[in-house]
Amino acid sequence: MHEKWERTMEWPLMVVAVVFLLAYSAQIVTDASGVDYERYELVLNICWAVFGIDYLVRLITAPEKWRWFKANLVDFFSVALPFLRPLRLVRLVALLRIFQRSADAELRNKISLYTGAISALLIWVGALTVLEAERHAEGATLTDLGRALWWSLVTVTTVGYGDIAPVTVTGRVVAAIYMLFGIALIGIVTGIFSSWFLERIKQEEGVKDEEPAAHAQLEKQIAELTQEVRLLRAEVAAAQGKSHVRPTPR
């Protein structure tokens, strides 16, 4: 039941996540107010309710509920806390599952694809979140989308120029989360490149090690084939000799 529900809801939830992203982006970028703000909020709340229903169904149908709960804490907090709603958009990464391959050689490419997609998504969502929190705050410098994107990028990459910084509690919490994510991202990227270099070294060493063995195997096969040809020629010669021997008259 659990796996069937996840398979059934994968694409519908992805559509809902896209709608959520578009509505949230439009609400923040246009600085909506009044009726427009309420409309965007209605769309966001509907999407959020769908996410909540999906989470509850998966929790109820999970074979080991406590273990599943601990393994899906991000989903829990993104549904339970309004502040973390944008993190629920990581379900968009489900779109990348169509690129999955079973071969081990594709594992690094799959990780790279996931990492790049998640990074781009969180940079955008982080910019929107901090812009929403900072735009009308007193003494804030993150007051437009361009600055918010710049801040999100330098924070995720752990560069941290310090020329722009949040002044609100929400903005600083987002900054702390993104700093931690940036550290993890650097670790993942470093691991991917290390894996690539090690694989190249192993391939080159493997080719060098295989060349003498391949030559020895070829020489052995040639020797065996030569021996078989000699035996065959001897048998043919013997058969021909017997056919030329005339019977002795009595």
Side-chain angles (χ1 to χ4, degrees), residues 35-221:
V35 177
D36 291 336
Y37 179 85
E38 295 298 329
R39 289 174 179 172
Y40 287 127
E41 278 296 305
L42 177 61
V43 174
L44 295 176
N45 289 334
I46 292 174
C47 294
W48 194 19
V50 173
F51 295 146
I53 294 171
D54 170 64
Y55 177 83
L56 289 176
V57 172
R58 288 188 296 145
L59 176 61
I60 293 172
T61 58
E64 300 181 14
K65 295 179 175 56
W66 178 242
R67 179 177 295 181
W68 186 90
F69 174 79
K70 291 190 295 183
N72 294 271
L73 288 177
V74 173
D75 284 359
F76 169 74
F77 287 117
S78 63
V79 171
L81 303 178
F83 169 70
L84 293 178
R85 275 187 298 171
L87 290 182
R88 199 62 178 84
L89 292 171
V90 297
R91 287 201 65 87
L92 284 172
V93 180
L95 180 63
L96 302 178
R97 292 179 184 177
I98 61 176
F99 299 110
Q100 287 183 344
R101 296 293 185 270
S102 58
D104 292 338
E106 297 294 329
L107 179 60
R108 186 178 60 251
N109 295 334
K110 183 172 64 177
I111 295 175
S112 303
L113 191 61
Y114 284 0
T115 303
I118 292 174
S119 301
L121 183 61
L122 290 185
I123 287 172
W124 174 253
V125 172
L128 295 177
T129 305
V130 79
L131 179 61
E132 181 183 21
E134 297 281 318
R135 173 179 277 157
H136 301 295
E138 183 178 354
T141 54
L142 290 163
T143 54
D144 59 73
L145 183 60
R147 291 191 175 196
L149 282 171
W150 171 252
W151 171 86
S152 184
L153 179 61
V154 298
T155 302
V156 165
T157 55
T158 68
V159 175
Y161 287 112
D163 54 342
I164 304 175
V167 297
T168 64
V169 175
T170 300
R172 289 173 179 173
V173 171
V174 173
I177 294 173
Y178 273 56
M179 290 174 192
L180 295 176
F181 173 77
I183 295 172
L185 178 63
I186 290 174
I188 293 173
V189 172
T190 303
I192 291 173
F193 278 100
S194 299
S195 173
W196 181 77
F197 281 120
L198 289 174
E199 184 177 326
R200 290 298 300 272
I201 292 173
K202 289 181 179 179
Q203 287 178 350
E204 292 180 0
E205 291 180 349
V207 171
K208 292 178 181 179
D209 294 340
E210 289 175 1
E211 286 180 355
H215 285 299
Q217 182 68 18
L218 182 60
E219 290 176 358
K220 182 180 178 181
Q221 291 176 353

